[in-house]
Amino acid sequence: PAVARSFIKNLKFILSVYDMPEDTINHVADELHTKAFPDGTYSSFVSLLTTERLEELTVDLTYYFDEYIAEDIVAKTLKKTDKDCYQAMEALIHNLNTMQSRAGAQVPFSSINYGTDTTAEGEMVIRNILLAEDAGLGDGETPIFPIHIFKVKDGINGQPGDPNYHYFELACKVSAKRLFPNFEFLDATFNAQYLKKLPDGTYDPNTEVSTMGCRTRVMGNTYDPTREVTCGRGNLSFTTVNLPRIALKHKDDIDGFWEELEEKIHLVHDQLIERLEIQKRRTVRNHPFLMGQGVWLDSDKLNIDDECGEVWNHGTLTIGFIGLAETLMVLTGKHHGEDGNAQALGLEIVGRFRELSDARSKKEKLNFSVIATPAEGLSGRFVKMDREVYGEIPGITDKEFYTNSYHVPVDYKITAFNKIRIEAPYHALCNGGHITYIEMDGDPLKNLDAFKAIVQAMKQMNIGYGAINHPIDYCPICGYTGVIGDECPRCGVRENQELTHEEVDAIRKQHGAKRLTSR
């Protein structure tokens, strides 16, 4: 809707350049606004920028101008609106990489989910956010935030012939250069069950599963099953279980392993409830943005000094786990990437997390969920603690970190498609968040077909959320982004080569990068 309003604003400006009287300009703009917003609100928005609507506008303008000028006015307005949209997307990315508003002067950890809007205005946003990400920051550096997540849906953008498939291809190209966007697959069985259609046949975006950061997913709602939506909700807190520690304690006693695992899961559930009770006693004044501005679901019903109370119940209470691979190696001698029996046990372990969490959700009428913990720092802390107790055990505690969540160990040689196949079943179990990473060697821009094939394989194997990592180097001299060996493929500067300021300026000028000596 904001793009349509920009179009109307730009049309008024361009009509003024053609010396149309102000009252006539306002009349034309008001008519367009009424067509775009029939009841005056965003909720009634009807696309202005379809081919049919633009042709209709051109015909209307021929009442005041000849046909050639009318067509020129519409074309110029559309071009300026597209430029404004690109600058808005560029500003979003640049601002989120410079707003040092978190503790320690960190930038906000932010994520954006997009890809399924089929209105002309929505497609303009999708295209321009991807182009702005592709352009990068400053001298072309890869942006850290926001994390881009492209939502993939057959019938919209998932297959050749879909209306937005070319944006899926663009997303793959940008991801092959910038690492983002990642991909959320709406056709995964555990995502598709929430999709609902609007009267016009399009999907309600509030029922399209979105994710935050590495792997935070909020959709199901045991507290209020009529509000299974993604907007206005979030994860309240999560606690992670050190699976290898339990396995090491009971490596020769599988019954003891299961007994302690269930004990720890119940303990975490109790702890999450206790923390929730503390959170509920916080007031709206303690959360001036989230609650005070009505961002959180049902918070608009509260006054400034009210306790947040029950509105928190829309959020999720999450239990996570680390080191499934090492756990399986302790219990079976092999991890799930190399042995089918280990895979079966791994699914049973994570399945127990989900089974007990679902049961607690029904009992408490709260949203307990299971997350594939992404905490890299914690995986290192756990192994250090366990090494002090159990010593150095080959393949378990003799390294710097446990393998994150259910991932196949990073040093294990396996094809991309086998890794996807092995990790896919865990996505269905981890309803609080999940991801599968694939590591590519070399420059994926030189083999986009392979890149797209991996993304399509994720979709076909029922992955919920996936990402492809690859080497990404940056030349500080000419701004080249890609795989760089000992010598930059664009400017030819070698690693550790000494250059004068004048030589650097000459190279930068040749390749369109910013000058150095002016700083």
Side-chain angles (χ1 to χ4, degrees):
V3 174
R5 293 191 65 172
S6 291
F7 181 83
I8 295 170
K9 180 194 72 173
N10 290 332
L11 179 65
K12 289 176 69 174
F13 170 76
I14 290 173
L15 290 176
S16 70
V17 174
Y18 280 85
D19 292 329
M20 178 181 272
E22 186 175 350
D23 58 343
T24 307
I25 292 174
N26 290 332
H27 172 71
V28 171
D30 289 343
E31 278 196 339
L32 274 184
H33 194 275
T34 300
K35 289 177 180 178
F37 308 99
D39 69 2
T41 68
Y42 276 170
S43 61
S44 65
F45 171 66
V46 180
S47 178
L48 269 186
L49 304 186
T50 63
T51 302
E52 295 75 18
R53 300 294 293 279
L54 294 176
E55 288 176 349
E56 181 183 314
L57 173 61
T58 303
V59 172
D60 291 343
L61 290 177
T62 58
Y63 183 81
Y64 307 101
F65 307 98
D66 66 41
E67 184 177 352
Y68 173 79
I69 294 177
E71 289 176 351
D72 189 54
I73 289 172
V74 172
K76 286 179 177 177
T77 305
L78 192 61
K79 183 177 180 180
K80 185 170 185 344
T81 303
D82 189 56
K83 181 180 179 181
D84 288 348
C85 184
Y86 176 81
Q87 288 186 313
M89 299 302 102
E90 185 179 50
L92 172 67
I93 292 173
H94 282 242
N95 286 342
L96 286 173
N97 280 276
T98 54
M99 288 169 50
Q100 297 169 325
S101 58
R102 291 169 70 205
Q106 298 179 81
V107 297
F109 198 114
S110 51
S111 304
I112 53 176
N113 294 255
Y114 57 87
T116 54
D117 195 332
T118 54
T119 66
E121 288 82 354
E123 290 179 16
M124 185 180 288
V125 171
I126 293 168
R127 180 177 68 255
N128 282 303
I129 193 68
L130 285 169
L131 293 177
E133 176 74 1
D134 185 72
L137 306 172
D139 286 343
E141 302 96 330
T142 293
I144 300 172
F145 295 113
I147 292 175
H148 293 240
I149 299 130
F150 190 88
K151 296 185 286 186
V152 181
K153 176 76 180 74
D154 283 353
I156 296 176
N157 57 30
Q159 297 289 344
D162 288 347
N164 279 16
Y165 182 71
H166 53 296
Y167 294 124
F168 167 74
E169 291 186 304
L170 178 58
C172 288
K173 182 179 178 181
V174 174
S175 185
K177 178 181 179 182
R178 296 295 186 189
L179 296 175
F180 297 120
N182 296 337
F183 299 89
E184 179 77 36
F185 301 99
L186 300 185
D187 286 317
T189 53
F190 41 85
N191 289 338
Q193 64 178 317
Y194 296 107
L195 285 170
K196 291 182 175 61
K197 285 192 174 182
L198 297 170
D200 64 1
T202 62
Y203 290 102
D204 180 353
N206 209 11
T207 66
E208 295 178 358
V209 171
S210 297
T211 190
M212 193 290 292
C214 292
R215 57 195 85 172
T216 300
R217 175 184 180 274
V218 178
M219 181 51 84
N221 194 344
T222 305
Y223 170 68
D224 185 354
T226 67
R227 315 281 284 282
E228 293 186 319
V229 295
T230 193
C231 297
R233 304 172 62 208
N235 178 243
L236 301 176
S237 50
F238 73 85
T239 299
T240 294
V241 174
N242 181 355
L243 280 179
R245 166 70 69 97
I246 302 175
L248 287 167
K249 285 174 67 176
H250 304 282
K251 62 180 179 178
D252 298 318
D253 177 18
I254 191 66
D255 291 336
F257 170 83
W258 287 115
E259 184 178 340
E260 181 163 350
L261 177 64
E262 293 196 9
E263 177 188 318
K264 289 294 186 290
I265 292 172
H266 290 309
L267 177 65
V268 170
H269 288 163
D270 292 342
Q271 177 256 325
L272 290 170
I273 289 178
E274 184 173 336
R275 189 166 189 263
L276 175 62
E277 292 305 315
I278 297 171
Q279 290 171 311
K280 284 183 175 181
R281 292 196 291 271
R282 306 273 290 183
T283 67
V284 173
R285 192 180 296 276
N286 296 133
H287 303 279
F289 174 67
L290 188 65
M291 299 291 178
Q293 296 193 27
V295 176
W296 189 268
L297 199 61
D298 284 344
S299 61
D300 55 340
K301 300 174 183 177
L302 302 175
N303 296 316
I304 189 69
D305 288 313
D306 288 345
E307 290 187 352
C308 297
E310 300 301 310
V311 303
W312 279 129
N313 290 354
H314 288 294
T316 57
L317 302 166
T318 306
I319 182 169
F321 60 94
I322 269 178
L324 180 65
E326 288 76 17
T327 300
L328 296 173
M329 291 173 70
V330 171
L331 297 176
T332 72
K334 294 182 179 180
H335 59 71
H336 53 317
E338 55 188 350
D339 181 74
N341 291 328
Q343 168 76 334
L345 179 58
L347 291 171
E348 189 178 357
I349 291 170
V350 179
R352 191 68 57 90
F353 275 85
R354 179 64 183 274
E355 177 188 354
L356 295 178
S357 295
D358 286 351
R360 195 65 180 265
S361 293
K362 291 178 182 177
K363 178 183 177 181
E364 306 285 351
K365 291 292 186 288
L366 293 170
N367 296 309
F368 288 95
S369 62
V370 180
I371 189 172
T373 295
E376 284 82 0
L378 191 59
S379 62
R381 180 167 173 258
F382 276 167
V383 78
K384 182 179 179 182
M385 293 166 61
D386 290 349
R387 189 185 302 119
E388 292 175 357
V389 177
Y390 298 99
E392 286 200 4
I393 302 173
I396 311 296
T397 60
D398 63 342
K399 50 189 181 180
E400 294 300 314
F401 55 85
Y402 285 140
T403 302
N404 256 359
S405 62
Y406 53 72
H407 291 172
V408 174
V410 294
D411 57 354
Y412 180 68
K413 295 194 175 188
I414 187 171
T415 67
F417 297 107
N418 274 339
K419 186 176 191 294
I420 293 168
R421 177 181 55 80
I422 290 167
E423 294 186 4
Y426 295 96
H427 285 237
L429 296 173
C430 297
N431 58 333
H434 43 240
I435 195 169
T436 284
Y437 288 106
I438 294 298
E439 303 284 342
M440 291 186 77
D441 291 330
D443 186 354
L445 281 171
K446 296 177 179 177
N447 194 350
L448 281 175
D449 287 341
F451 190 100
K452 286 190 290 185
I454 292 173
V455 178
Q456 292 287 5
M458 289 179 175
K459 177 163 68 73
Q460 292 162 7
M461 295 188 202
N462 214 36
I463 289 287
Y465 180 42
I468 299 176
N469 290 342
H470 50 83
I472 181 165
D473 301 322
Y474 172 72
C475 175
I477 305 301
C478 70
Y480 174 79
T481 299
V483 177
I484 302 176
D486 296 330
E487 182 178 298
C488 176
R490 176 191 284 171
C491 67
V493 173
R494 299 183 304 279
E495 188 174 5
N496 298 324
Q497 180 179 346
E498 293 186 5
L499 299 170
T500 66
H501 278 203
E502 289 75 17
E503 288 173 327
V504 170
D505 275 343
I507 294 171
R508 290 186 161 215
K509 183 177 180 181
Q510 178 185 353
H511 296 284
K514 292 182 179 178
R515 291 174 61 82
L516 177 68
T517 52
S518 61
R519 297 180 181 175

